[in-house]
PDB file of all heavy atoms in Angstrom:
ATOM      1  N   SER A   3     -25.826  63.191 -21.821  1.00  0.00           N
ATOM      2  CA  SER A   3     -26.155  64.580 -21.429  1.00  0.00           C
ATOM      3  C   SER A   3     -27.505  64.952 -21.719  1.00  0.00           C
ATOM      4  O   SER A   3     -28.148  64.281 -22.696  1.00  0.00           O
ATOM      5  CB  SER A   3     -25.076  65.608 -21.936  1.00  0.00           C
ATOM      6  OG  SER A   3     -25.265  65.765 -23.310  1.00  0.00           O
ATOM      7  N   SER A   4     -28.121  65.964 -21.161  1.00  0.00           N
ATOM      8  CA  SER A   4     -29.485  66.381 -21.487  1.00  0.00           C
ATOM      9  C   SER A   4     -29.670  66.838 -22.945  1.00  0.00           C
ATOM     10  O   SER A   4     -30.738  66.740 -23.380  1.00  0.00           O
ATOM     11  CB  SER A   4     -29.827  67.594 -20.512  1.00  0.00           C
ATOM     12  OG  SER A   4     -28.896  68.670 -20.668  1.00  0.00           O
ATOM     13  N   ASP A   5     -28.490  67.283 -23.543  1.00  0.00           N
ATOM     14  CA  ASP A   5     -28.780  67.610 -24.958  1.00  0.00           C
ATOM     15  C   ASP A   5     -28.490  66.547 -25.940  1.00  0.00           C
ATOM     16  O   ASP A   5     -28.428  66.674 -27.103  1.00  0.00           O
ATOM     17  CB  ASP A   5     -27.740  68.828 -25.387  1.00  0.00           C
ATOM     18  CG  ASP A   5     -26.399  68.479 -24.954  1.00  0.00           C
ATOM     19  OD1 ASP A   5     -25.991  67.359 -24.734  1.00  0.00           O
ATOM     20  OD2 ASP A   5     -25.589  69.424 -25.076  1.00  0.00           O
ATOM     21  N   GLY A   6     -28.197  65.280 -25.417  1.00  0.00           N
ATOM     22  CA  GLY A   6     -27.985  64.159 -26.184  1.00  0.00           C
ATOM     23  C   GLY A   6     -26.724  63.972 -26.689  1.00  0.00           C
ATOM     24  O   GLY A   6     -26.358  62.875 -27.366  1.00  0.00           O
ATOM     25  N   ALA A   7     -25.753  64.747 -26.401  1.00  0.00           N
ATOM     26  CA  ALA A   7     -24.305  64.571 -26.769  1.00  0.00           C
ATOM     27  C   ALA A   7     -23.609  63.485 -25.975  1.00  0.00           C
ATOM     28  O   ALA A   7     -23.829  63.374 -24.770  1.00  0.00           O
ATOM     29  CB  ALA A   7     -23.555  65.940 -26.615  1.00  0.00           C
ATOM     30  N   LEU A   8     -22.707  62.704 -26.572  1.00  0.00           N
ATOM     31  CA  LEU A   8     -21.913  61.677 -25.912  1.00  0.00           C
ATOM     32  C   LEU A   8     -20.802  62.579 -25.181  1.00  0.00           C
ATOM     33  O   LEU A   8     -20.471  62.233 -24.075  1.00  0.00           O
ATOM     34  CB  LEU A   8     -21.405  60.701 -26.956  1.00  0.00           C
ATOM     35  CG  LEU A   8     -20.471  59.690 -26.313  1.00  0.00           C
ATOM     36  CD1 LEU A   8     -21.231  58.717 -25.349  1.00  0.00           C
ATOM     37  CD2 LEU A   8     -19.682  58.842 -27.424  1.00  0.00           C
ATOM     38  N   LEU A   9     -20.177  63.446 -25.995  1.00  0.00           N
ATOM     39  CA  LEU A   9     -18.997  64.251 -25.449  1.00  0.00           C
ATOM     40  C   LEU A   9     -19.307  65.727 -25.594  1.00  0.00           C
ATOM     41  O   LEU A   9     -19.693  66.222 -26.720  1.00  0.00           O
ATOM     42  CB  LEU A   9     -17.794  63.824 -26.189  1.00  0.00           C
ATOM     43  CG  LEU A   9     -16.512  64.590 -25.691  1.00  0.00           C
ATOM     44  CD1 LEU A   9     -16.010  64.038 -24.390  1.00  0.00           C
ATOM     45  CD2 LEU A   9     -15.391  64.415 -26.798  1.00  0.00           C
ATOM     46  N   SER A  10     -19.033  66.431 -24.563  1.00  0.00           N
ATOM     47  CA  SER A  10     -19.255  67.944 -24.655  1.00  0.00           C
ATOM     48  C   SER A  10     -17.987  68.601 -24.085  1.00  0.00           C
ATOM     49  O   SER A  10     -17.582  68.432 -22.953  1.00  0.00           O
ATOM     50  CB  SER A  10     -20.437  68.454 -23.733  1.00  0.00           C
ATOM     51  OG  SER A  10     -21.638  67.790 -24.312  1.00  0.00           O
ATOM     52  N   VAL A  11     -17.340  69.300 -25.049  1.00  0.00           N
ATOM     53  CA  VAL A  11     -16.075  70.085 -24.684  1.00  0.00           C
ATOM     54  C   VAL A  11     -16.555  71.564 -24.581  1.00  0.00           C
ATOM     55  O   VAL A  11     -17.032  72.121 -25.458  1.00  0.00           O
ATOM     56  CB  VAL A  11     -14.898  69.867 -25.723  1.00  0.00           C
ATOM     57  CG1 VAL A  11     -13.789  70.885 -25.520  1.00  0.00           C
ATOM     58  CG2 VAL A  11     -14.584  68.499 -25.814  1.00  0.00           C
ATOM     59  N   ARG A  12     -16.297  72.063 -23.356  1.00  0.00           N
ATOM     60  CA  ARG A  12     -16.940  73.477 -23.116  1.00  0.00           C
ATOM     61  C   ARG A  12     -15.930  74.401 -22.642  1.00  0.00           C
ATOM     62  O   ARG A  12     -15.279  74.157 -21.529  1.00  0.00           O
ATOM     63  CB  ARG A  12     -17.928  73.339 -22.030  1.00  0.00           C
ATOM     64  CG  ARG A  12     -19.178  72.438 -22.445  1.00  0.00           C
ATOM     65  CD  ARG A  12     -20.205  72.343 -21.332  1.00  0.00           C
ATOM     66  NE  ARG A  12     -21.401  71.538 -21.722  1.00  0.00           N
ATOM     67  CZ  ARG A  12     -22.403  71.131 -20.808  1.00  0.00           C
ATOM     68  NH1 ARG A  12     -22.312  71.559 -19.622  1.00  0.00           N
ATOM     69  NH2 ARG A  12     -23.352  70.483 -21.246  1.00  0.00           N
ATOM     70  N   ASP A  13     -15.489  75.335 -23.506  1.00  0.00           N
ATOM     71  CA  ASP A  13     -14.640  76.539 -23.097  1.00  0.00           C
ATOM     72  C   ASP A  13     -13.340  76.100 -22.576  1.00  0.00           C
ATOM     73  O   ASP A  13     -12.762  76.648 -21.591  1.00  0.00           O
ATOM     74  CB  ASP A  13     -15.392  77.272 -22.182  1.00  0.00           C
ATOM     75  CG  ASP A  13     -14.848  78.674 -22.132  1.00  0.00           C
ATOM     76  OD1 ASP A  13     -14.484  79.288 -23.195  1.00  0.00           O
ATOM     77  OD2 ASP A  13     -14.951  79.436 -21.052  1.00  0.00           O
ATOM     78  N   VAL A  14     -12.684  74.979 -23.230  1.00  0.00           N
ATOM     79  CA  VAL A  14     -11.424  74.454 -22.718  1.00  0.00           C
ATOM     80  C   VAL A  14     -10.283  75.268 -23.174  1.00  0.00           C
ATOM     81  O   VAL A  14     -10.056  75.555 -24.384  1.00  0.00           O
ATOM     82  CB  VAL A  14     -11.305  72.968 -23.220  1.00  0.00           C
ATOM     83  CG1 VAL A  14      -9.891  72.419 -22.984  1.00  0.00           C
ATOM     84  CG2 VAL A  14     -12.259  71.986 -22.503  1.00  0.00           C
ATOM     85  N   THR A  15      -9.448  75.585 -22.215  1.00  0.00           N
ATOM     86  CA  THR A  15      -8.172  76.284 -22.358  1.00  0.00           C
ATOM     87  C   THR A  15      -7.013  75.619 -21.730  1.00  0.00           C
ATOM     88  O   THR A  15      -7.179  75.092 -20.510  1.00  0.00           O
ATOM     89  CB  THR A  15      -8.305  77.782 -21.847  1.00  0.00           C
ATOM     90  OG1 THR A  15      -9.421  78.426 -22.524  1.00  0.00           O
ATOM     91  CG2 THR A  15      -7.091  78.627 -22.017  1.00  0.00           C
ATOM     92  N   VAL A  16      -5.945  75.543 -22.448  1.00  0.00           N
ATOM     93  CA  VAL A  16      -4.728  74.894 -21.964  1.00  0.00           C
ATOM     94  C   VAL A  16      -3.569  75.925 -22.159  1.00  0.00           C
ATOM     95  O   VAL A  16      -3.473  76.287 -23.350  1.00  0.00           O
ATOM     96  CB  VAL A  16      -4.445  73.477 -22.575  1.00  0.00           C
ATOM     97  CG1 VAL A  16      -3.153  72.977 -22.097  1.00  0.00           C
ATOM     98  CG2 VAL A  16      -5.634  72.584 -22.095  1.00  0.00           C
ATOM     99  N   ARG A  17      -2.728  76.125 -21.249  1.00  0.00           N
ATOM    100  CA  ARG A  17      -1.529  77.013 -21.384  1.00  0.00           C
ATOM    101  C   ARG A  17      -0.370  76.183 -21.022  1.00  0.00           C
ATOM    102  O   ARG A  17      -0.361  75.577 -19.997  1.00  0.00           O
ATOM    103  CB  ARG A  17      -1.620  78.306 -20.513  1.00  0.00           C
ATOM    104  CG  ARG A  17      -2.868  79.211 -21.022  1.00  0.00           C
ATOM    105  CD  ARG A  17      -2.902  80.442 -20.192  1.00  0.00           C
ATOM    106  NE  ARG A  17      -3.905  81.274 -20.437  1.00  0.00           N
ATOM    107  CZ  ARG A  17      -5.192  81.135 -19.873  1.00  0.00           C
ATOM    108  NH1 ARG A  17      -5.445  80.308 -18.971  1.00  0.00           N
ATOM    109  NH2 ARG A  17      -6.080  82.088 -20.273  1.00  0.00           N
ATOM    110  N   PHE A  18       0.721  76.334 -21.754  1.00  0.00           N
ATOM    111  CA  PHE A  18       1.982  75.750 -21.527  1.00  0.00           C
ATOM    112  C   PHE A  18       3.074  77.047 -21.328  1.00  0.00           C
ATOM    113  O   PHE A  18       3.444  77.531 -22.323  1.00  0.00           O
ATOM    114  CB  PHE A  18       2.581  74.788 -22.483  1.00  0.00           C
ATOM    115  CG  PHE A  18       1.674  73.594 -22.598  1.00  0.00           C
ATOM    116  CD1 PHE A  18       1.027  73.402 -23.767  1.00  0.00           C
ATOM    117  CD2 PHE A  18       1.412  72.711 -21.478  1.00  0.00           C
ATOM    118  CE1 PHE A  18       0.237  72.271 -23.901  1.00  0.00           C
ATOM    119  CE2 PHE A  18       0.733  71.583 -21.668  1.00  0.00           C
ATOM    120  CZ  PHE A  18       0.026  71.327 -22.724  1.00  0.00           C
ATOM    121  N   GLY A  19       3.186  77.443 -19.977  1.00  0.00           N
ATOM    122  CA  GLY A  19       3.942  78.808 -19.855  1.00  0.00           C
ATOM    123  C   GLY A  19       3.232  79.859 -20.623  1.00  0.00           C
ATOM    124  O   GLY A  19       2.066  80.111 -20.350  1.00  0.00           O
ATOM    125  N   GLY A  20       3.846  80.571 -21.567  1.00  0.00           N
ATOM    126  CA  GLY A  20       3.262  81.698 -22.263  1.00  0.00           C
ATOM    127  C   GLY A  20       2.559  81.260 -23.425  1.00  0.00           C
ATOM    128  O   GLY A  20       1.903  82.076 -24.181  1.00  0.00           O
ATOM    129  N   VAL A  21       2.536  79.956 -23.754  1.00  0.00           N
ATOM    130  CA  VAL A  21       1.854  79.389 -25.047  1.00  0.00           C
ATOM    131  C   VAL A  21       0.397  79.075 -24.776  1.00  0.00           C
ATOM    132  O   VAL A  21       0.303  78.177 -23.828  1.00  0.00           O
ATOM    133  CB  VAL A  21       2.795  78.360 -25.568  1.00  0.00           C
ATOM    134  CG1 VAL A  21       1.924  77.699 -26.845  1.00  0.00           C
ATOM    135  CG2 VAL A  21       4.104  78.744 -26.091  1.00  0.00           C
ATOM    136  N   VAL A  22      -0.507  79.495 -25.477  1.00  0.00           N
ATOM    137  CA  VAL A  22      -1.884  79.039 -25.244  1.00  0.00           C
ATOM    138  C   VAL A  22      -2.050  77.944 -26.383  1.00  0.00           C
ATOM    139  O   VAL A  22      -2.202  78.060 -27.516  1.00  0.00           O
ATOM    140  CB  VAL A  22      -2.885  80.182 -25.555  1.00  0.00           C
ATOM    141  CG1 VAL A  22      -4.292  79.682 -25.424  1.00  0.00           C
ATOM    142  CG2 VAL A  22      -2.611  81.297 -24.649  1.00  0.00           C
ATOM    143  N   ALA A  23      -2.196  76.623 -25.855  1.00  0.00           N
ATOM    144  CA  ALA A  23      -2.326  75.566 -26.750  1.00  0.00           C
ATOM    145  C   ALA A  23      -3.726  75.310 -27.122  1.00  0.00           C
ATOM    146  O   ALA A  23      -4.049  74.865 -28.231  1.00  0.00           O
ATOM    147  CB  ALA A  23      -1.808  74.380 -26.061  1.00  0.00           C
ATOM    148  N   LEU A  24      -4.704  75.563 -26.226  1.00  0.00           N
ATOM    149  CA  LEU A  24      -6.020  75.568 -26.614  1.00  0.00           C
ATOM    150  C   LEU A  24      -6.736  76.752 -26.047  1.00  0.00           C
ATOM    151  O   LEU A  24      -6.484  77.116 -24.811  1.00  0.00           O
ATOM    152  CB  LEU A  24      -6.812  74.264 -26.007  1.00  0.00           C
ATOM    153  CG  LEU A  24      -6.385  72.868 -26.554  1.00  0.00           C
ATOM    154  CD1 LEU A  24      -7.003  71.828 -25.761  1.00  0.00           C
ATOM    155  CD2 LEU A  24      -6.745  72.790 -27.996  1.00  0.00           C
ATOM    156  N   ASP A  25      -7.605  77.522 -26.788  1.00  0.00           N
ATOM    157  CA  ASP A  25      -8.062  78.801 -26.469  1.00  0.00           C
ATOM    158  C   ASP A  25      -9.597  78.748 -26.474  1.00  0.00           C
ATOM    159  O   ASP A  25     -10.259  78.888 -27.618  1.00  0.00           O
ATOM    160  CB  ASP A  25      -7.509  79.851 -27.422  1.00  0.00           C
ATOM    161  CG  ASP A  25      -7.802  81.203 -27.011  1.00  0.00           C
ATOM    162  OD1 ASP A  25      -8.425  81.440 -26.036  1.00  0.00           O
ATOM    163  OD2 ASP A  25      -7.285  82.151 -27.751  1.00  0.00           O
ATOM    164  N   HIS A  26     -10.209  78.438 -25.426  1.00  0.00           N
ATOM    165  CA  HIS A  26     -11.734  78.470 -25.236  1.00  0.00           C
ATOM    166  C   HIS A  26     -12.408  77.634 -26.291  1.00  0.00           C
ATOM    167  O   HIS A  26     -13.228  78.085 -27.120  1.00  0.00           O
ATOM    168  CB  HIS A  26     -12.236  79.866 -25.274  1.00  0.00           C
ATOM    169  CG  HIS A  26     -11.615  80.815 -24.122  1.00  0.00           C
ATOM    170  ND1 HIS A  26     -11.990  80.639 -22.919  1.00  0.00           N
ATOM    171  CD2 HIS A  26     -10.616  81.647 -24.286  1.00  0.00           C
ATOM    172  CE1 HIS A  26     -11.449  81.428 -22.140  1.00  0.00           C
ATOM    173  NE2 HIS A  26     -10.425  82.185 -23.014  1.00  0.00           N
ATOM    174  N   VAL A  27     -11.930  76.341 -26.396  1.00  0.00           N
ATOM    175  CA  VAL A  27     -12.534  75.417 -27.522  1.00  0.00           C
ATOM    176  C   VAL A  27     -13.757  74.863 -27.021  1.00  0.00           C
ATOM    177  O   VAL A  27     -13.944  74.305 -25.848  1.00  0.00           O
ATOM    178  CB  VAL A  27     -11.424  74.276 -27.779  1.00  0.00           C
ATOM    179  CG1 VAL A  27     -12.087  73.222 -28.620  1.00  0.00           C
ATOM    180  CG2 VAL A  27     -10.218  74.914 -28.430  1.00  0.00           C
ATOM    181  N   ASP A  28     -14.795  74.818 -27.900  1.00  0.00           N
ATOM    182  CA  ASP A  28     -16.046  74.268 -27.741  1.00  0.00           C
ATOM    183  C   ASP A  28     -16.529  73.344 -28.798  1.00  0.00           C
ATOM    184  O   ASP A  28     -16.422  73.789 -29.991  1.00  0.00           O
ATOM    185  CB  ASP A  28     -17.235  75.304 -27.666  1.00  0.00           C
ATOM    186  CG  ASP A  28     -17.182  76.171 -26.297  1.00  0.00           C
ATOM    187  OD1 ASP A  28     -17.665  75.742 -25.236  1.00  0.00           O
ATOM    188  OD2 ASP A  28     -16.478  77.219 -26.414  1.00  0.00           O
ATOM    189  N   PHE A  29     -16.996  72.191 -28.519  1.00  0.00           N
ATOM    190  CA  PHE A  29     -17.735  71.372 -29.623  1.00  0.00           C
ATOM    191  C   PHE A  29     -18.330  70.197 -28.960  1.00  0.00           C
ATOM    192  O   PHE A  29     -18.104  69.940 -27.665  1.00  0.00           O
ATOM    193  CB  PHE A  29     -16.768  70.868 -30.713  1.00  0.00           C
ATOM    194  CG  PHE A  29     -15.712  69.887 -30.126  1.00  0.00           C
ATOM    195  CD1 PHE A  29     -15.955  68.512 -30.083  1.00  0.00           C
ATOM    196  CD2 PHE A  29     -14.439  70.312 -29.794  1.00  0.00           C
ATOM    197  CE1 PHE A  29     -14.993  67.654 -29.704  1.00  0.00           C
ATOM    198  CE2 PHE A  29     -13.488  69.461 -29.330  1.00  0.00           C
ATOM    199  CZ  PHE A  29     -13.757  68.029 -29.326  1.00  0.00           C
ATOM    200  N   GLN A  30     -19.238  69.488 -29.609  1.00  0.00           N
ATOM    201  CA  GLN A  30     -19.883  68.328 -29.155  1.00  0.00           C
ATOM    202  C   GLN A  30     -19.841  67.197 -30.088  1.00  0.00           C
ATOM    203  O   GLN A  30     -19.720  67.407 -31.323  1.00  0.00           O
ATOM    204  CB  GLN A  30     -21.438  68.637 -28.977  1.00  0.00           C
ATOM    205  CG  GLN A  30     -21.758  69.531 -27.700  1.00  0.00           C
ATOM    206  CD  GLN A  30     -23.316  69.685 -27.605  1.00  0.00           C
ATOM    207  OE1 GLN A  30     -23.963  69.498 -28.474  1.00  0.00           O
ATOM    208  NE2 GLN A  30     -23.527  70.008 -26.297  1.00  0.00           N
ATOM    209  N   LEU A  31     -19.737  65.932 -29.614  1.00  0.00           N
ATOM    210  CA  LEU A  31     -19.908  64.827 -30.342  1.00  0.00           C
ATOM    211  C   LEU A  31     -21.274  64.105 -30.110  1.00  0.00           C
ATOM    212  O   LEU A  31     -21.530  63.786 -28.947  1.00  0.00           O
ATOM    213  CB  LEU A  31     -18.728  63.833 -30.140  1.00  0.00           C
ATOM    214  CG  LEU A  31     -17.324  64.292 -30.334  1.00  0.00           C
ATOM    215  CD1 LEU A  31     -16.332  63.105 -30.263  1.00  0.00           C
ATOM    216  CD2 LEU A  31     -17.076  64.962 -31.707  1.00  0.00           C
ATOM    217  N   GLN A  32     -21.937  63.747 -31.196  1.00  0.00           N
ATOM    218  CA  GLN A  32     -23.283  63.050 -30.987  1.00  0.00           C
ATOM    219  C   GLN A  32     -22.974  61.515 -31.087  1.00  0.00           C
ATOM    220  O   GLN A  32     -21.967  61.023 -31.824  1.00  0.00           O
ATOM    221  CB  GLN A  32     -24.276  63.437 -32.025  1.00  0.00           C
ATOM    222  CG  GLN A  32     -24.685  64.879 -31.989  1.00  0.00           C
ATOM    223  CD  GLN A  32     -25.271  65.177 -30.708  1.00  0.00           C
ATOM    224  OE1 GLN A  32     -26.141  64.409 -30.008  1.00  0.00           O
ATOM    225  NE2 GLN A  32     -24.935  66.341 -30.179  1.00  0.00           N
ATOM    226  N   PRO A  33     -23.627  60.706 -30.421  1.00  0.00           N
ATOM    227  CA  PRO A  33     -23.395  59.201 -30.398  1.00  0.00           C
ATOM    228  C   PRO A  33     -23.551  58.723 -31.770  1.00  0.00           C
ATOM    229  O   PRO A  33     -24.374  59.072 -32.681  1.00  0.00           O
ATOM    230  CB  PRO A  33     -24.540  58.710 -29.521  1.00  0.00           C
ATOM    231  CG  PRO A  33     -25.057  59.835 -28.677  1.00  0.00           C
ATOM    232  CD  PRO A  33     -24.876  60.977 -29.511  1.00  0.00           C
ATOM    233  N   GLY A  34     -22.625  57.673 -32.147  1.00  0.00           N
ATOM    234  CA  GLY A  34     -22.664  57.122 -33.487  1.00  0.00           C
ATOM    235  C   GLY A  34     -22.039  57.881 -34.685  1.00  0.00           C
ATOM    236  O   GLY A  34     -22.409  57.560 -35.762  1.00  0.00           O
ATOM    237  N   THR A  35     -21.360  58.960 -34.417  1.00  0.00           N
ATOM    238  CA  THR A  35     -20.774  59.814 -35.411  1.00  0.00           C
ATOM    239  C   THR A  35     -19.347  59.498 -35.529  1.00  0.00           C
ATOM    240  O   THR A  35     -18.709  59.070 -34.572  1.00  0.00           O
ATOM    241  CB  THR A  35     -21.065  61.220 -35.169  1.00  0.00           C
ATOM    242  OG1 THR A  35     -20.547  61.475 -33.865  1.00  0.00           O
ATOM    243  CG2 THR A  35     -22.474  61.567 -35.207  1.00  0.00           C
ATOM    244  N   ILE A  36     -18.708  59.953 -36.630  1.00  0.00           N
ATOM    245  CA  ILE A  36     -17.332  59.926 -36.911  1.00  0.00           C
ATOM    246  C   ILE A  36     -16.899  61.364 -37.109  1.00  0.00           C
ATOM    247  O   ILE A  36     -17.497  62.022 -37.988  1.00  0.00           O
ATOM    248  CB  ILE A  36     -16.913  59.030 -38.076  1.00  0.00           C
ATOM    249  CG1 ILE A  36     -17.323  57.576 -37.900  1.00  0.00           C
ATOM    250  CG2 ILE A  36     -15.380  59.240 -38.355  1.00  0.00           C
ATOM    251  CD1 ILE A  36     -17.104  56.734 -39.220  1.00  0.00           C
ATOM    252  N   THR A  37     -15.922  61.753 -36.283  1.00  0.00           N
ATOM    253  CA  THR A  37     -15.501  63.195 -36.303  1.00  0.00           C
ATOM    254  C   THR A  37     -14.072  63.322 -36.575  1.00  0.00           C
ATOM    255  O   THR A  37     -13.273  62.604 -35.980  1.00  0.00           O
ATOM    256  CB  THR A  37     -15.854  63.986 -35.044  1.00  0.00           C
ATOM    257  OG1 THR A  37     -17.270  63.947 -34.718  1.00  0.00           O
ATOM    258  CG2 THR A  37     -15.371  65.452 -35.066  1.00  0.00           C
ATOM    259  N   GLY A  38     -13.692  64.186 -37.627  1.00  0.00           N
ATOM    260  CA  GLY A  38     -12.286  64.436 -37.830  1.00  0.00           C
ATOM    261  C   GLY A  38     -11.787  65.711 -37.284  1.00  0.00           C
ATOM    262  O   GLY A  38     -12.510  66.728 -37.203  1.00  0.00           O
ATOM    263  N   LEU A  39     -10.697  65.683 -36.548  1.00  0.00           N
ATOM    264  CA  LEU A  39     -10.068  66.805 -36.019  1.00  0.00           C
ATOM    265  C   LEU A  39      -8.941  67.170 -36.817  1.00  0.00           C
ATOM    266  O   LEU A  39      -7.948  66.511 -36.764  1.00  0.00           O
ATOM    267  CB  LEU A  39      -9.795  66.477 -34.551  1.00  0.00           C
ATOM    268  CG  LEU A  39      -9.078  67.591 -33.692  1.00  0.00           C
ATOM    269  CD1 LEU A  39      -9.979  68.841 -33.639  1.00  0.00           C
ATOM    270  CD2 LEU A  39      -8.617  67.072 -32.330  1.00  0.00           C
ATOM    271  N   ILE A  40      -8.843  68.363 -37.389  1.00  0.00           N
ATOM    272  CA  ILE A  40      -7.920  68.708 -38.316  1.00  0.00           C
ATOM    273  C   ILE A  40      -7.340  70.095 -37.939  1.00  0.00           C
ATOM    274  O   ILE A  40      -7.838  70.890 -37.193  1.00  0.00           O
ATOM    275  CB  ILE A  40      -8.142  68.652 -39.778  1.00  0.00           C
ATOM    276  CG1 ILE A  40      -9.216  69.852 -40.045  1.00  0.00           C
ATOM    277  CG2 ILE A  40      -8.774  67.244 -40.227  1.00  0.00           C
ATOM    278  CD1 ILE A  40      -9.549  69.890 -41.630  1.00  0.00           C
ATOM    279  N   GLY A  41      -6.091  70.358 -38.540  1.00  0.00           N
ATOM    280  CA  GLY A  41      -5.425  71.575 -38.272  1.00  0.00           C
ATOM    281  C   GLY A  41      -4.029  71.593 -38.613  1.00  0.00           C
ATOM    282  O   GLY A  41      -3.382  70.572 -38.541  1.00  0.00           O
ATOM    283  N   PRO A  42      -3.271  72.757 -38.802  1.00  0.00           N
ATOM    284  CA  PRO A  42      -1.913  72.667 -39.094  1.00  0.00           C
ATOM    285  C   PRO A  42      -1.148  72.138 -37.860  1.00  0.00           C
ATOM    286  O   PRO A  42      -1.686  72.036 -36.750  1.00  0.00           O
ATOM    287  CB  PRO A  42      -1.539  74.107 -39.248  1.00  0.00           C
ATOM    288  CG  PRO A  42      -2.959  74.921 -39.503  1.00  0.00           C
ATOM    289  CD  PRO A  42      -3.844  74.120 -38.844  1.00  0.00           C
ATOM    290  N   ASN A  43       0.178  71.800 -38.070  1.00  0.00           N
ATOM    291  CA  ASN A  43       0.897  71.270 -36.971  1.00  0.00           C
ATOM    292  C   ASN A  43       1.059  72.503 -35.878  1.00  0.00           C
ATOM    293  O   ASN A  43       1.167  73.598 -36.184  1.00  0.00           O
ATOM    294  CB  ASN A  43       2.350  71.090 -37.369  1.00  0.00           C
ATOM    295  CG  ASN A  43       2.472  69.748 -38.311  1.00  0.00           C
ATOM    296  OD1 ASN A  43       1.707  68.800 -37.999  1.00  0.00           O
ATOM    297  ND2 ASN A  43       3.522  69.833 -39.102  1.00  0.00           N
ATOM    298  N   GLY A  44       0.833  72.085 -34.644  1.00  0.00           N
ATOM    299  CA  GLY A  44       0.897  73.151 -33.533  1.00  0.00           C
ATOM    300  C   GLY A  44      -0.413  73.743 -33.230  1.00  0.00           C
ATOM    301  O   GLY A  44      -0.533  74.577 -32.511  1.00  0.00           O
ATOM    302  N   ALA A  45      -1.520  73.253 -33.905  1.00  0.00           N
ATOM    303  CA  ALA A  45      -2.857  73.781 -33.714  1.00  0.00           C
ATOM    304  C   ALA A  45      -3.542  73.427 -32.539  1.00  0.00           C
ATOM    305  O   ALA A  45      -4.480  74.112 -32.087  1.00  0.00           O
ATOM    306  CB  ALA A  45      -3.751  73.387 -34.908  1.00  0.00           C
ATOM    307  N   GLY A  46      -2.938  72.371 -31.808  1.00  0.00           N
ATOM    308  CA  GLY A  46      -3.668  72.015 -30.643  1.00  0.00           C
ATOM    309  C   GLY A  46      -4.268  70.699 -30.556  1.00  0.00           C
ATOM    310  O   GLY A  46      -4.977  70.254 -29.550  1.00  0.00           O
TER     311      GLY A  46
END
């Protein structure tokens, strides 16, 4: 991408019925990095 990111997640929202599993999630991954994705059970 023009900003150098390998992956860009932009304002992603996912709903399962009345449950919002992801709520406007944004982040980027730069090439050659290691990223941990953490959170409680059910965080998305």
Side-chain angles (χ1 to χ4, degrees):
S3 66
S4 58
D5 56 11
L8 178 71
L9 179 76
S10 297
V11 175
R12 300 178 176 175
D13 205 31
V14 167
T15 297
V16 175
R17 297 181 182 87
F18 298 115
V21 177
V22 180
L24 293 174
D25 191 355
H26 301 284
V27 173
D28 289 275
F29 65 87
Q30 292 186 334
L31 302 187
Q32 297 301 318
T35 56
I36 299 173
T37 299
L39 178 63
I40 67 172
N43 289 330

